[in-house]
Coordinates of all heavy atoms in Angstrom, one line a residue:
M1 N 0.8 -1.2 0.0 CA 0.0 0.0 0.0 C 0.9 1.2 0.0 O 1.9 1.3 0.7 CB -0.9 0.0 1.2 CG -1.7 -1.2 1.4 SD -3.0 -1.3 0.2 CE -4.3 -0.4 1.0
A2 N 0.5 2.2 -0.8 CA 1.3 3.4 -0.9 C 0.4 4.6 -1.0 O -0.2 4.9 -2.1 CB 2.3 3.3 -2.0
K3 N 0.3 5.4 0.0 CA -0.5 6.6 0.0 C 0.3 7.8 -0.6 O -0.3 8.8 -1.0 CB -1.0 7.0 1.4 CG -2.0 6.0 1.9 CD -2.6 6.5 3.2 CE -3.6 5.5 3.8 NZ -4.6 5.1 2.8
T4 N 1.6 7.6 -0.6 CA 2.4 8.7 -1.1 C 3.2 8.3 -2.4 O 4.1 8.9 -2.8 CB 3.4 9.2 -0.1 OG1 4.2 8.0 0.3 CG2 2.7 9.7 1.1
W5 N 2.7 7.3 -3.1 CA 3.3 6.8 -4.3 C 2.2 6.2 -5.2 O 1.6 5.2 -4.9 CB 4.3 5.7 -4.0 CG 5.0 5.1 -5.3 CD1 4.5 4.2 -6.1 CD2 6.2 5.5 -5.8 NE1 5.3 3.9 -7.1 CE2 6.4 4.7 -7.0 CE3 7.2 6.5 -5.5 CZ2 7.6 4.9 -7.8 CZ3 8.3 6.6 -6.3 CH2 8.5 5.8 -7.4
Y6 N 2.0 6.9 -6.3 CA 1.0 6.3 -7.3 C 1.2 7.0 -8.6 O 1.8 8.1 -8.7 CB -0.4 6.5 -6.8 CG -0.8 7.9 -6.4 CD1 -1.3 8.8 -7.3 CD2 -0.6 8.3 -5.1 CE1 -1.6 10.1 -6.9 CE2 -1.0 9.6 -4.7 CZ -1.5 10.5 -5.6 OH -1.8 11.8 -5.2
P7 N 0.8 6.3 -9.7 CA 1.0 6.9 -11.0 C 0.1 8.0 -11.4 O -1.1 8.1 -10.9 CB 0.8 5.6 -11.9 CG -0.3 4.8 -11.2 CD 0.1 5.0 -9.7
V8 N 0.6 8.9 -12.2 CA -0.2 10.0 -12.8 C 0.0 9.9 -14.3 O 1.1 9.9 -14.8 CB 0.3 11.3 -12.2 CG1 -0.5 12.5 -12.9 CG2 0.1 11.4 -10.7
V9 N -1.1 10.0 -15.0 CA -1.0 9.9 -16.5 C -1.1 11.3 -17.1 O -2.0 12.0 -16.8 CB -2.2 9.0 -17.0 CG1 -2.1 9.0 -18.5 CG2 -2.1 7.6 -16.4
D10 N -0.2 11.5 -18.0 CA -0.3 12.8 -18.7 C -1.1 12.5 -20.0 O -0.6 11.9 -21.0 CB 1.2 13.2 -19.1 CG 1.2 14.5 -19.9 OD1 0.1 15.0 -20.4 OD2 2.2 15.1 -20.1
Y11 N -2.3 12.9 -20.0 CA -3.2 12.5 -21.1 C -2.9 13.2 -22.4 O -3.4 12.9 -23.4 CB -4.7 12.8 -20.7 CG -5.2 11.8 -19.6 CD1 -5.2 12.3 -18.3 CD2 -5.6 10.5 -19.9 CE1 -5.7 11.4 -17.3 CE2 -6.0 9.7 -18.9 CZ -6.0 10.1 -17.6 OH -6.5 9.2 -16.6
S12 N -2.0 14.2 -22.3 CA -1.6 14.9 -23.5 C -0.7 14.1 -24.4 O -0.5 14.4 -25.6 CB -1.0 16.3 -23.2 OG 0.3 16.1 -22.6
V13 N -0.1 13.1 -23.8 CA 0.8 12.2 -24.5 C 0.4 10.8 -24.5 O 0.8 10.0 -25.3 CB 2.3 12.3 -24.0 CG1 2.9 13.7 -24.2 CG2 2.4 11.9 -22.6
C14 N -0.6 10.4 -23.7 CA -1.1 9.0 -23.6 C -1.8 8.7 -24.9 O -2.6 9.5 -25.4 CB -2.0 8.9 -22.4 SG -2.9 7.3 -22.4
T15 N -1.6 7.5 -25.4 CA -2.2 7.1 -26.7 C -3.4 6.1 -26.4 O -4.0 5.5 -27.3 CB -1.2 6.4 -27.6 OG1 -0.6 5.3 -26.9 CG2 -0.1 7.4 -28.0
E16 N -3.7 5.9 -25.1 CA -4.7 5.0 -24.7 C -4.5 3.6 -25.2 O -5.5 3.0 -25.7 CB -6.1 5.6 -25.0 CG -6.3 6.9 -24.3 CD -7.8 7.3 -24.4 OE1 -8.6 6.6 -25.0 OE2 -8.1 8.4 -23.8
C17 N -3.3 3.1 -25.2 CA -3.0 1.8 -25.7 C -3.5 0.7 -24.7 O -3.6 -0.5 -25.1 CB -1.5 1.6 -25.9 SG -0.5 1.6 -24.4
G18 N -3.7 1.1 -23.4 CA -4.2 0.1 -22.4 C -3.1 -0.8 -21.8 O -3.5 -1.6 -20.9
T19 N -1.9 -0.6 -22.1 CA -0.8 -1.4 -21.6 C -0.8 -1.3 -20.1 O -0.7 -2.3 -19.4 CB 0.5 -1.0 -22.2 OG1 0.5 -1.3 -23.6 CG2 1.7 -1.8 -21.5
C20 N -0.8 -0.1 -19.6 CA -0.7 0.1 -18.1 C -1.8 -0.6 -17.4 O -1.7 -1.2 -16.3 CB -0.5 1.5 -17.8 SG -1.9 2.5 -18.4
V21 N -3.0 -0.4 -17.9 CA -4.2 -1.0 -17.2 C -4.2 -2.5 -17.2 O -4.5 -3.1 -16.2 CB -5.5 -0.5 -18.0 CG1 -6.7 -1.1 -17.3 CG2 -5.6 1.0 -18.1
S22 N -3.7 -3.1 -18.3 CA -3.7 -4.5 -18.3 C -2.5 -5.2 -17.6 O -2.6 -6.3 -17.2 CB -3.7 -5.0 -19.8 OG -2.6 -4.6 -20.5
M23 N -1.4 -4.4 -17.5 CA -0.3 -5.1 -16.8 C -0.2 -5.0 -15.3 O 0.4 -5.8 -14.7 CB 1.0 -4.6 -17.5 CG 1.5 -3.2 -17.1 SD 2.2 -3.0 -15.4 CE 3.6 -4.1 -15.6
C24 N -0.9 -4.0 -14.8 CA -0.8 -3.8 -13.3 C -1.6 -4.9 -12.6 O -2.8 -5.0 -12.8 CB -1.3 -2.4 -12.9 SG -1.3 -2.3 -11.1
P25 N -0.9 -5.7 -11.8 CA -1.6 -6.8 -11.1 C -2.2 -6.4 -9.8 O -2.8 -7.2 -9.1 CB -0.4 -7.8 -10.8 CG 0.8 -6.9 -10.6 CD 0.6 -5.7 -11.5
H26 N -2.2 -5.1 -9.5 CA -2.7 -4.6 -8.2 C -4.0 -3.8 -8.4 O -4.4 -3.1 -7.4 CB -1.7 -3.8 -7.5 CG -0.4 -4.6 -7.2 ND1 -0.4 -5.6 -6.3 CD2 0.8 -4.6 -7.8 CE1 0.9 -6.1 -6.3 NE2 1.6 -5.6 -7.2
S27 N -4.6 -3.8 -9.5 CA -5.9 -3.2 -9.8 C -5.9 -1.7 -9.4 O -6.9 -1.1 -8.9 CB -7.0 -3.9 -9.0 OG -7.1 -5.2 -9.4
V28 N -4.7 -1.0 -9.7 CA -4.7 0.4 -9.4 C -5.5 1.1 -10.4 O -6.2 2.1 -10.1 CB -3.2 0.9 -9.5 CG1 -3.1 2.4 -9.4 CG2 -2.4 0.3 -8.3
Y29 N -5.5 0.6 -11.6 CA -6.3 1.3 -12.7 C -7.7 0.7 -12.8 O -7.9 -0.5 -12.5 CB -5.6 1.1 -14.1 CG -4.3 1.8 -14.2 CD1 -3.1 1.1 -13.9 CD2 -4.2 3.1 -14.5 CE1 -1.9 1.8 -14.0 CE2 -3.0 3.8 -14.6 CZ -1.8 3.1 -14.4 OH -0.6 3.8 -14.5
D30 N -8.6 1.5 -13.2 CA -10.0 1.0 -13.4 C -10.2 0.3 -14.7 O -10.2 0.9 -15.8 CB -10.9 2.2 -13.4 CG -12.4 1.8 -13.4 OD1 -12.7 0.6 -13.5 OD2 -13.3 2.7 -13.2
T31 N -10.3 -1.1 -14.6 CA -10.3 -1.9 -15.8 C -11.6 -1.6 -16.6 O -11.7 -1.9 -17.8 CB -10.2 -3.4 -15.5 OG1 -11.3 -3.7 -14.6 CG2 -8.9 -3.7 -14.9
K32 N -12.6 -1.1 -16.0 CA -13.9 -0.8 -16.7 C -13.7 0.4 -17.7 O -14.5 0.6 -18.6 CB -15.0 -0.5 -15.7 CG -15.4 -1.7 -14.9 CD -16.5 -1.4 -13.9 CE -16.8 -2.6 -13.0 NZ -17.8 -2.3 -12.0
K33 N -12.7 1.2 -17.4 CA -12.4 2.3 -18.3 C -11.4 2.0 -19.4 O -11.1 2.9 -20.2 CB -11.9 3.5 -17.4 CG -12.9 3.9 -16.3 CD -14.0 4.8 -16.9 CE -15.0 5.1 -15.9 NZ -14.5 5.8 -14.7
A34 N -10.8 0.8 -19.4 CA -9.8 0.4 -20.3 C -10.3 0.6 -21.7 O -11.5 0.3 -22.0 CB -9.4 -1.0 -20.1
P35 N -9.5 1.0 -22.7 CA -8.0 1.1 -22.5 C -7.6 2.5 -22.0 O -6.4 2.8 -21.8 CB -7.5 1.0 -23.9 CG -8.6 1.5 -24.8 CD -9.9 1.1 -24.1
T36 N -8.6 3.4 -21.7 CA -8.2 4.6 -21.0 C -7.7 4.4 -19.6 O -8.4 3.8 -18.8 CB -9.4 5.6 -21.0 OG1 -9.9 5.8 -22.3 CG2 -9.0 6.9 -20.4
P37 N -6.5 4.9 -19.3 CA -6.0 4.7 -18.0 C -6.5 5.6 -17.0 O -6.3 6.8 -17.0 CB -4.5 4.9 -18.2 CG -4.4 5.9 -19.3 CD -5.6 5.6 -20.2
V38 N -7.3 5.1 -16.0 CA -7.9 5.9 -15.0 C -7.4 5.3 -13.6 O -7.7 4.2 -13.3 CB -9.4 5.9 -15.0 CG1 -10.0 6.6 -13.8 CG2 -9.9 6.5 -16.3
V39 N -6.6 6.1 -12.9 CA -6.1 5.6 -11.6 C -7.3 5.6 -10.6 O -7.8 6.6 -10.2 CB -5.0 6.5 -11.1 CG1 -4.5 6.0 -9.7 CG2 -3.8 6.5 -12.0
K40 N -7.7 4.4 -10.2 CA -8.9 4.2 -9.4 C -8.5 4.0 -7.9 O -9.2 4.5 -7.0 CB -9.7 3.0 -9.9 CG -11.0 2.7 -9.1 CD -11.7 1.5 -9.7 CE -13.0 1.2 -9.0 NZ -13.6 0.0 -9.4
V41 N -7.5 3.2 -7.7 CA -7.1 2.9 -6.3 C -5.6 3.1 -6.1 O -4.8 2.2 -6.1 CB -7.4 1.4 -6.0 CG1 -7.3 1.2 -4.5 CG2 -8.8 1.0 -6.5
P42 N -5.3 4.4 -6.0 CA -3.9 4.8 -5.8 C -3.2 4.1 -4.6 O -2.0 3.8 -4.6 CB -3.9 6.3 -5.7 CG -5.3 6.6 -5.4 CD -6.1 5.6 -6.0
D43 N -4.0 3.8 -3.6 CA -3.5 3.2 -2.3 C -3.0 1.8 -2.6 O -2.2 1.3 -1.8 CB -4.5 3.2 -1.3 CG -4.8 4.5 -0.6 OD1 -4.1 5.5 -1.1 OD2 -5.6 4.6 0.3
S44 N -3.4 1.2 -3.7 CA -3.0 -0.2 -4.0 C -1.6 -0.2 -4.7 O -1.1 -1.3 -4.9 CB -4.0 -0.9 -4.8 OG -5.2 -1.1 -4.0
C45 N -1.2 0.9 -5.2 CA 0.1 0.9 -5.9 C 1.2 0.6 -5.0 O 1.2 1.0 -3.8 CB 0.3 2.3 -6.5 SG 1.7 2.5 -7.5
V46 N 2.2 -0.2 -5.5 CA 3.3 -0.7 -4.7 C 4.4 0.4 -4.7 O 4.8 0.9 -5.7 CB 3.9 -1.9 -5.4 CG1 5.1 -2.4 -4.6 CG2 2.8 -3.0 -5.4
D47 N 4.8 0.8 -3.5 CA 5.7 1.8 -3.3 C 7.0 1.5 -4.1 O 7.6 0.5 -4.0 CB 6.1 1.9 -1.8 CG 6.8 3.2 -1.4 OD1 6.6 4.2 -2.2 OD2 7.4 3.2 -0.4
H48 N 7.4 2.5 -4.9 CA 8.6 2.5 -5.7 C 8.5 1.5 -6.9 O 9.5 1.2 -7.5 CB 9.8 2.2 -4.9 CG 10.2 3.5 -4.1 ND1 9.7 3.8 -2.9 CD2 11.1 4.4 -4.4 CE1 10.2 4.9 -2.5 NE2 11.1 5.4 -3.3
C49 N 7.3 1.0 -7.2 CA 7.1 0.2 -8.4 C 7.1 1.2 -9.6 O 6.4 2.2 -9.5 CB 5.8 -0.6 -8.4 SG 5.5 -1.5 -9.9
H50 N 7.8 0.8 -10.7 CA 7.7 1.6 -11.9 C 7.2 0.7 -13.1 O 7.5 1.0 -14.2 CB 9.1 2.1 -12.3 CG 9.6 3.2 -11.4 ND1 10.7 3.0 -10.5 CD2 9.3 4.5 -11.3 CE1 10.9 4.2 -9.9 NE2 10.1 5.1 -10.4
G51 N 6.5 -0.3 -12.7 CA 6.1 -1.3 -13.7 C 5.3 -0.8 -14.9 O 5.7 -1.0 -16.0
C52 N 4.3 -0.1 -14.6 CA 3.5 0.5 -15.7 C 4.2 1.6 -16.5 O 4.2 1.7 -17.7 CB 2.1 1.0 -15.2 SG 2.2 2.1 -13.8
G53 N 5.0 2.4 -15.7 CA 5.7 3.5 -16.3 C 6.8 3.0 -17.3 O 7.1 3.5 -18.3
N54 N 7.4 1.8 -16.9 CA 8.5 1.3 -17.7 C 7.9 0.7 -19.0 O 8.7 0.5 -20.0 CB 9.3 0.2 -16.9 CG 10.3 0.8 -16.0 OD1 10.8 1.9 -16.3 ND2 10.6 0.1 -14.9
R55 N 6.7 0.3 -19.0 CA 6.1 -0.3 -20.2 C 5.3 0.7 -21.0 O 4.9 0.4 -22.2 CB 5.2 -1.5 -19.8 CG 6.0 -2.7 -19.4 CD 5.2 -3.7 -18.7 NE 6.0 -4.9 -18.4 CZ 6.9 -5.0 -17.5 NH1 7.2 -3.9 -16.8 NH2 7.6 -6.1 -17.3
C56 N 5.0 1.8 -20.5 CA 4.3 2.8 -21.3 C 5.1 3.3 -22.5 O 6.2 3.8 -22.4 CB 3.9 4.0 -20.4 SG 3.2 5.4 -21.4
P57 N 4.5 3.0 -23.7 CA 5.3 3.4 -24.9 C 5.4 4.9 -25.2 O 6.1 5.3 -26.0 CB 4.5 2.7 -26.0 CG 3.1 2.6 -25.5 CD 3.2 2.4 -24.0
S58 N 4.6 5.6 -24.4 CA 4.5 7.1 -24.7 C 5.2 7.9 -23.7 O 5.3 9.2 -23.8 CB 3.1 7.5 -24.8 OG 2.4 6.7 -25.8
G59 N 5.7 7.3 -22.6 CA 6.3 8.1 -21.5 C 5.3 9.0 -20.8 O 5.6 10.0 -20.3
A60 N 4.0 8.5 -20.7 CA 3.0 9.3 -20.2 C 2.8 9.2 -18.7 O 2.1 10.0 -18.1 CB 1.6 9.0 -20.9
I61 N 3.5 8.2 -18.1 CA 3.3 7.9 -16.7 C 4.5 8.4 -15.8 O 5.6 8.1 -16.1 CB 3.1 6.4 -16.4 CG1 1.9 5.9 -17.2 CG2 3.0 6.1 -14.9 CD1 1.7 4.4 -17.1
T62 N 4.2 9.2 -14.8 CA 5.1 9.5 -13.8 C 4.5 9.2 -12.4 O 3.3 8.8 -12.4 CB 5.5 11.0 -13.9 OG1 4.3 11.8 -13.8 CG2 6.3 11.3 -15.2
Y63 N 5.3 9.4 -11.4 CA 4.8 9.0 -10.1 C 4.8 10.1 -9.0 O 5.9 10.8 -8.9 CB 5.6 7.8 -9.6 CG 5.4 6.6 -10.5 CD1 6.3 6.4 -11.6 CD2 4.4 5.7 -10.3 CE1 6.1 5.4 -12.5 CE2 4.2 4.7 -11.2 CZ 5.0 4.5 -12.3 OH 4.8 3.5 -13.2
I64 N 3.7 10.2 -8.3 CA 3.7 11.1 -7.2 C 4.7 10.5 -6.1 O 4.6 9.3 -5.8 CB 2.3 11.1 -6.6 CG1 1.3 11.8 -7.5 CG2 2.3 11.8 -5.2 CD1 1.6 13.3 -7.8
G65 N 5.5 11.3 -5.6 CA 6.4 10.9 -4.5 C 7.7 10.3 -5.0 O 8.5 9.8 -4.3
D66 N 7.9 10.3 -6.4 CA 9.1 9.7 -6.9 C 10.3 10.6 -6.7 O 10.4 11.7 -7.2 CB 8.9 9.5 -8.4 CG 10.0 8.5 -9.0 OD1 11.0 8.3 -8.3 OD2 9.8 8.0 -10.1
D67 N 11.3 10.1 -5.8 CA 12.5 10.8 -5.6 C 13.7 10.0 -6.0 O 14.8 10.2 -5.5 CB 12.6 11.1 -4.1 CG 12.6 9.9 -3.2 OD1 12.4 8.8 -3.8 OD2 12.7 10.0 -2.0
T68 N 13.5 9.1 -7.0 CA 14.5 8.2 -7.4 C 15.3 8.7 -8.6 O 16.3 8.1 -8.9 CB 13.9 6.8 -7.8 OG1 13.1 6.9 -8.9 CG2 13.1 6.2 -6.6
G69 N 14.8 9.7 -9.2 CA 15.5 10.2 -10.4 C 15.0 9.4 -11.7 O 15.5 9.7 -12.7
W70 N 14.1 8.5 -11.5 CA 13.5 7.8 -12.6 C 12.8 8.7 -13.6 O 12.2 9.6 -13.2 CB 12.5 6.7 -12.1 CG 11.9 5.9 -13.1 CD1 12.3 4.7 -13.6 CD2 10.6 6.2 -13.8 NE1 11.4 4.2 -14.5 CE2 10.3 5.1 -14.6 CE3 9.7 7.3 -13.7 CZ2 9.2 5.1 -15.4 CZ3 8.6 7.2 -14.5 CH2 8.3 6.1 -15.4
T71 N 13.0 8.4 -14.9 CA 12.2 9.1 -15.9 C 11.7 8.0 -16.9 O 12.3 6.9 -17.0 CB 13.1 10.1 -16.7 OG1 14.2 9.4 -17.2 CG2 13.5 11.2 -15.8
P72 N 10.6 8.3 -17.5 CA 10.0 7.3 -18.4 C 11.0 6.9 -19.5 O 11.6 7.7 -20.1 CB 8.8 8.1 -19.0 CG 8.5 9.1 -18.0 CD 9.8 9.5 -17.4
P73 N 11.2 5.5 -19.7 CA 12.2 5.0 -20.6 C 11.7 5.1 -22.1 O 12.6 5.0 -23.0 CB 12.3 3.6 -20.2 CG 11.0 3.2 -19.7 CD 10.5 4.5 -18.9
N74 N 10.5 5.3 -22.3 CA 10.0 5.4 -23.7 C 9.3 6.8 -24.0 O 8.9 7.5 -23.0 CB 8.9 4.3 -23.9 CG 9.5 2.9 -23.6 OD1 10.6 2.5 -24.0 ND2 8.8 2.2 -22.7
G75 N 9.1 7.0 -25.2 CA 8.4 8.3 -25.6 C 9.3 9.5 -25.5 O 10.4 9.4 -25.3
K76 N 8.7 10.6 -25.8 CA 9.4 11.8 -25.9 C 10.0 12.3 -24.6 O 10.8 13.2 -24.6 CB 8.6 12.9 -26.6 CG 7.3 13.3 -25.8 CD 6.5 14.3 -26.6 CE 5.3 14.7 -25.9 NZ 4.5 15.7 -26.7
K77 N 9.5 11.8 -23.5 CA 10.0 12.3 -22.2 C 11.3 11.4 -21.8 O 11.9 11.7 -20.8 CB 9.0 12.2 -21.2 CG 7.9 13.2 -21.3 CD 6.9 13.2 -20.2 CE 5.9 14.3 -20.3 NZ 4.9 14.2 -19.1
A78 N 11.6 10.4 -22.6 CA 12.7 9.5 -22.2 C 14.0 10.3 -22.1 O 14.4 11.0 -23.0 CB 12.8 8.4 -23.2
E79 N 14.7 10.0 -21.0 CA 16.0 10.6 -20.8 C 17.0 9.6 -20.3 O 18.2 9.8 -20.5 CB 15.8 11.7 -19.8 CG 15.1 12.9 -20.3 CD 14.9 14.0 -19.3 OE1 15.5 13.9 -18.2 OE2 14.2 15.0 -19.5
S80 N 16.6 8.6 -19.6 CA 17.6 7.7 -19.0 C 17.3 6.2 -19.3 O 16.5 5.9 -20.2 CB 17.5 7.9 -17.5 OG 16.3 7.4 -16.9
D81 N 17.9 5.3 -18.6 CA 17.8 3.9 -18.9 C 16.5 3.3 -18.4 O 16.1 2.2 -18.9 CB 19.0 3.1 -18.3 CG 19.0 3.2 -16.8 OD1 18.0 3.8 -16.2 OD2 20.0 2.8 -16.2
G82 N 15.8 4.0 -17.5 CA 14.5 3.5 -17.1 C 14.5 2.2 -16.3 O 13.5 1.5 -16.2
A83 N 15.6 2.0 -15.6 CA 15.7 0.8 -14.8 C 14.6 0.8 -13.7 O 14.4 1.9 -13.1 CB 17.1 0.7 -14.2
C84 N 14.0 -0.3 -13.5 CA 12.9 -0.4 -12.5 C 13.5 -0.6 -11.1 O 14.2 -1.6 -10.9 CB 11.9 -1.4 -12.8 SG 10.6 -1.6 -11.6
S85 N 13.2 0.2 -10.1 CA 13.8 0.0 -8.8 C 13.2 -1.1 -8.0 O 13.8 -1.5 -7.0 CB 13.6 1.3 -8.0 OG 12.2 1.5 -7.7
C86 N 12.2 -1.8 -8.5 CA 11.6 -2.9 -7.8 C 12.4 -4.1 -8.0 O 12.2 -5.2 -7.4 CB 10.1 -3.1 -8.1 SG 9.8 -4.0 -9.6
G87 N 13.3 -4.1 -9.0 CA 14.2 -5.3 -9.2 C 13.5 -6.4 -10.0 O 13.9 -7.5 -9.9
G88 N 12.5 -6.0 -10.7 CA 11.8 -7.0 -11.5 C 10.9 -8.0 -10.7 O 10.7 -9.1 -11.1
G89 N 10.4 -7.5 -9.6 CA 9.5 -8.3 -8.8 C 8.1 -8.4 -9.4 O 7.9 -8.1 -10.5
S90 N 7.3 -9.0 -8.6 CA 5.9 -9.3 -9.1 C 5.2 -8.1 -9.6 O 4.3 -8.2 -10.4 CB 5.1 -10.0 -8.0 OG 5.0 -9.2 -6.9
C91 N 5.5 -6.9 -9.0 CA 4.8 -5.7 -9.4 C 5.0 -5.4 -10.9 O 4.2 -4.7 -11.5 CB 5.2 -4.6 -8.5 SG 6.9 -4.1 -8.7
C92 N 6.1 -5.9 -11.5 CA 6.4 -5.6 -12.8 C 5.8 -6.7 -13.8 O 6.0 -6.7 -15.0 CB 7.9 -5.5 -13.1 SG 8.6 -3.9 -12.6
G93 N 5.0 -7.6 -13.2 CA 4.4 -8.6 -14.1 C 5.5 -9.5 -14.7 O 5.5 -9.8 -15.8
Ligands
SF4_101 S1 2.2 -1.4 -12.2 FE1 3.2 -0.9 -10.3 S2 3.5 1.4 -10.5 FE2 2.0 0.8 -12.0 S3 0.0 1.1 -10.9 FE3 0.6 -1.1 -10.7 S4 1.7 -1.2 -8.8 FE4 1.6 1.0 -9.3
SF4_102 S1 0.7 2.6 -21.2 FE1 1.0 4.8 -21.5 S2 0.1 5.3 -23.5 FE2 -0.6 3.3 -22.9 S3 -2.6 3.7 -21.9 FE3 -1.1 3.6 -20.3 S4 -0.4 5.8 -20.0 FE4 -1.5 5.6 -22.0

């Protein structure tokens, strides 16, 4: 549970591919709204997970509370290697 860590979607660059909604195993996104990503249960997001952000092809996802220096690995916002700090755990599918 993470009240100070959850994804925020920049809808100006999101292509509504649905990747983030379908890959998150913690039901953070509202699957009824898919493929549009709507953060429904931010408290269920895993602290410091970058799973959905690492898979977003548009670089549309960033995280509230992110102090890791992570930036989206894909899309026009890409700047770094995008390594996931969770170490490839279950949160990354
Ligand atoms: S994939 Fe990870 S970062 Fe994305 S919403 Fe789910 S738990 Fe949070
Ligand atoms: S993965 Fe990225 S582009 Fe695809 S729906 Fe999610 S936020 Fe939008």
Side-chain angles (χ1 to χ4, degrees):
M1 305 289 274
K3 293 187 182 304
T4 56
W5 178 277
Y6 53 89
V8 175
V9 177
D10 181 348
Y11 292 102
S12 71
V13 295
C14 172
T15 59
E16 299 194 355
C17 69
T19 298
C20 56
V21 182
S22 60
M23 73 79 58
C24 177
H26 300 286
S27 302
V28 172
Y29 294 95
D30 186 350
T31 55
K32 293 179 181 176
K33 300 282 175 55
T36 302
V38 176
V39 178
K40 181 182 181 185
V41 192
D43 285 4
S44 291
C45 185
V46 176
D47 198 22
H48 286 81
C49 176
H50 289 108
C52 52
N54 279 333
R55 283 166 178 72
C56 173
S58 305
I61 299 174
T62 54
Y63 297 90
I64 293 295
D66 196 342
D67 58 358
T68 66
W70 177 92
T71 55
N74 308 306
K76 60 183 180 182
K77 289 184 176 180
E79 291 179 7
S80 69
D81 62 9
C84 177
S85 67
C86 80
S90 60
C91 64
C92 280

